Amino acid sequence: MTTTSSATSLSGREAEVIGAVPTGLFIAGQWRPAEGGATLVVDDPSTGRPIARVADASVADGRAALDAAVAAQASWAATPPRDRGEILRRSFEALTARADELAMIMTLEMGKPLDQAKGEVTYGAEFFRWFSEEAVRISGRYSVAPNGATRLLTMKQPVGPCLFITPWNFPLAMGTRKIGPAVAAGCTMVVKPAAQTPLSMLKLAEIMTEAGLPAGVLNVITTSHSGAVMEPLIRDPRLRKLSFTGSTSIGKRLVEQSAEQLLRISMELGGNAPFIVFEDADVDAAVSGAMLAKMRNMGEACTAANRFLVHESVAAEFGAKFAERMAAQTVGRGTEAGVDVGPLVDGPSQAKVGELVDDAVAAGARVLTGGTTVGEQGYFFAPTVLADVPASARLLSEEIFGPVAPITTFTSDDQAIALANDSEYGLASYLFTRDLNRALRVAEGLEFGMVGLNTGLVSNPAAPFGGVKQSGFGREGGFEGIEEFLETKYVGIQM
Ligand code: NAP
């Protein structure tokens, strides 16, 4: 592992890009300050230093944002699907054209290396391209009832005003995954990004407005007191849907709150992905897949491989090769050239990753590489591989959310499936094998919403992303994504 020097303040170009991000609340097509002029500070996790101040919304500001979404709903639902789709298409093109600028904003507020940030911009933009194409394919059906006397007309209509709450780890794409299908379906919305990473979403609102999105369709509020500002909106009878991406604990609380209005809800929650390597796998391909599944976003991904389950006959080879690749990673500030691994998002996250490693080592795990924090400032942690991790280690049951890979072994397919399913989570899973029948048998047996077969990447705008068990419910992307924003109404017709 190599470490680059960490800059302590924004460079000229960085300051210019950050200085061009709107910092107000975006309500009814206007940028405005928060009530009383309150602001919150955004830090650069590679230095721990402030880079921007944005508006800090009050409860009244939150309500004003919902007022705007409610006011715009009827006309937006009546806007021709082609027009809605073309706004998304223009937004996709603008995001693509401005990917470097957006990537820099994201890297500075969140920490991931610039090339990964650019990858997220591309991934996030693709949801707009996908749903620009889906906007014009919303359809119903006409059928003859079994009695022959009645006709059934089925139509799809927008759910209505939505509330989106998104996490800090993918500051742009977790928003576009919801905004894209909502815009396509004819829903208006209030979006609340995480206080730690609000800048990408504010920039997105500006870009979508330039692309022609009418006032009130998308409203963005930033706040340092998310619970107090969100709860009244969730309990407001005018809201029709809540879509949340974040931790399982907060998700459960929001499900309880949304019961009052029996809201339509989508919950994209935490994960604890198993990464299974069978004895017939191409070990080099599995190592490359492991790098992707573990190290994308410094391990701060809901889809991050959290448990490496490796057949005992290939565990030594896999562990050695994986540790070698991990040790070769360059850790440093994400804006610097050649950096593979940026900082974790904040001090508590860095401390938690350290605690999980210490707990595993105390229980008997062997450190193949890494295991410690890196640098004097910022929240860096070394890419880490642990072998012989005992079942009692906390990091096998908790989301690590850091660049740490624990390896355990298995001896049979049934044991691999049982170990993989031994989690309350069920989001992403990965398996590496060259045996087609084994692949299908294991894929069927895995209690997860997504399975990567000989790949370390499952996210794809054309695929239904989502989990089972305590990873939540609902799907984002694919044909399924837009259904979350549509109601089905049927008209019975007597002939
Ligand atoms: P988090 O703490 O649950 O926060 C997620 C969002 O909820 C943030 O915008 C946060 O705002 C807000 N929030 C916090 N408390 C709230 C409350 N009482 N009422 C309303 N909103 C509230 O999660 P995180 O730490 O940001 O994100 C990491 C988690 O997200 C991990 O568990 C990860 O697995 C999960 N995740 C899941 C997916 C998926 O698709 N399944 C994708 C990405 C991440 P503030 O932070 O500003 O308070």
Side-chain angles (χ1 to χ4, degrees):
M1 177 193 69
T2 344
T3 313
T4 64
S5 64
S6 282
T8 51
S9 58
L10 296 183
S11 71
R13 174 65 185 148
E14 291 167 7
E16 189 189 325
V17 167
I18 292 295
V21 178
T23 56
L25 307 175
F26 188 60
I27 298 176
Q30 303 290 323
W31 293 99
R32 55 153 109 166
E35 187 183 12
T39 57
L40 66 89
V41 173
V42 182
D43 292 329
D44 172 353
S46 71
T47 61
R49 292 174 179 228
I51 54 168
R53 274 182 178 276
V54 301
D56 190 355
S58 67
V59 172
D61 291 325
R63 203 174 294 282
L66 181 59
D67 291 346
V70 170
Q73 179 57 55
S75 62
W76 183 238
T79 301
R82 179 65 78 196
D83 294 0
R84 301 199 300 260
E86 283 177 351
I87 291 168
L88 285 176
R89 176 73 199 198
R90 286 196 294 274
S91 301
F92 157 74
E93 282 162 6
L95 288 175
T96 307
R98 297 173 67 176
D100 287 329
E101 177 191 357
L102 286 154
M104 182 166 286
I105 294 168
M106 192 186 296
T107 293
L108 291 171
E109 68 176 342
M110 187 274 170
K112 70 183 76 180
L114 272 179
D115 62 338
Q116 291 195 34
K118 205 166 164 181
E120 182 181 337
V121 175
T122 305
Y123 172 61
E126 284 294 343
F127 285 98
F128 285 176
R129 175 150 66 167
W130 177 265
F131 286 108
S132 73
E133 292 155 357
E134 290 299 283
V136 292
R137 316 242 182 274
I138 299 165
S139 62
R141 64 179 193 271
Y142 178 83
S143 56
V144 180
N147 67 10
T150 310
R151 299 293 180 266
L152 309 176
L153 176 65
T154 307
M155 60 180 85
K156 299 278 185 180
Q157 295 179 310
V159 166
C162 302
L163 175 61
F164 300 153
I165 303 176
T166 58
W168 51 263
N169 62 343
F170 291 98
L172 188 80
M174 297 303 96
T176 61
R177 253 176 24 177
K178 302 179 192 303
I179 296 167
V183 165
C187 297
T188 60
M189 65 212 82
V190 176
V191 181
K192 193 210 77 65
Q196 284 173 305
T197 59
L199 303 178
S200 298
M201 190 59 68
L202 293 169
K203 196 71 187 173
L204 178 69
E206 183 184 72
I207 288 173
M208 294 192 75
T209 304
E210 287 165 6
L213 193 68
V217 174
L218 168 68
N219 304 277
V220 180
I221 53 169
T222 49
T223 179
S224 63
H225 21 277
S226 42
V229 176
M230 293 293 98
E231 185 165 354
L233 303 192
I234 295 169
R235 295 188 187 279
D236 190 311
R238 298 172 302 166
L239 189 73
R240 292 287 186 272
K241 177 170 175 81
L242 167 66
S243 179
F244 172 76
T245 299
S247 60
T248 295
S249 59
I250 300 289
K252 286 180 182 176
R253 203 182 305 171
L254 301 185
V255 170
E256 278 177 26
Q257 292 173 13
S258 61
E260 188 169 313
Q261 302 297 336
L262 287 176
L263 286 181
R264 286 274 300 266
I265 42 180
S266 303
M267 288 282 144
E268 299 285 353
L269 308 176
N272 179 2
F275 186 102
I276 313 171
V277 183
F278 288 95
E279 65 270 34
D280 67 325
D282 174 339
V283 173
D284 291 328
V287 169
S288 294
M291 290 302 297
L292 203 54
K294 181 72 256 181
M295 295 306 289
R296 192 164 74 110
N297 237 37
M298 293 79 72
E300 294 173 317
C302 52
T303 51
N306 211 71
R307 297 171 290 149
F308 289 82
L309 311 174
V310 186
H311 190 273
E312 62 173 5
S313 65
V314 290
E317 181 190 355
F318 176 83
K321 288 180 168 172
F322 190 19
E324 192 185 333
R325 290 276 296 273
M326 290 283 267
Q329 296 279 292
T330 299
V331 180
R333 190 165 191 254
T335 48
E336 290 177 13
V339 164
D340 304 304
V341 185
L344 297 179
V345 73
D346 55 23
S349 302
Q350 185 194 37
K352 188 194 164 198
V353 172
E355 268 169 40
L356 290 175
V357 170
D358 292 348
D359 168 77
V361 171
R366 262 184 318 123
V367 180
L368 298 186
T369 185
T372 57
T373 58
V374 178
E376 306 282 289
Q377 63 168 10
Y379 311 115
F380 298 93
F381 202 90
T384 299
V385 180
L386 304 174
D388 305 330
V389 178
S392 61
R394 277 173 54 200
L395 82 184
L396 295 180
S397 53
E398 294 180 30
E399 260 191 313
I400 302 170
F401 249 55
V404 176
I407 301 177
T408 59
T409 58
F410 66 86
T411 53
S412 71
D413 290 16
D414 286 347
Q415 189 194 10
I417 294 171
L419 285 169
N421 289 341
D422 184 19
S423 168
E424 74 254 32
Y425 294 110
L427 192 63
S429 57
Y430 306 89
L431 71 105
F432 278 72
T433 175
R434 284 186 272 214
D435 178 334
L436 179 62
N437 286 350
R438 166 183 270 159
L440 295 176
R441 218 171 33 243
V442 175
E444 285 181 11
L446 288 170
E447 296 169 350
F448 290 82
M450 298 174 286
V451 181
L453 172 56
N454 295 326
T455 174
L457 187 67
V458 288
S459 301
N460 189 316
F465 187 106
V468 299
K469 295 160 79 177
Q470 293 198 30
S471 292
F473 41 78
R475 293 294 179 265
E476 293 187 331
F479 302 121
E480 293 81 355
I482 200 166
E483 290 295 327
E484 304 276 330
F485 297 93
L486 294 170
E487 289 289 7
T488 303
K489 180 187 283 179
Y490 109 86
V491 182
I493 307 162
Q494 189 61 46
M495 296 296 279

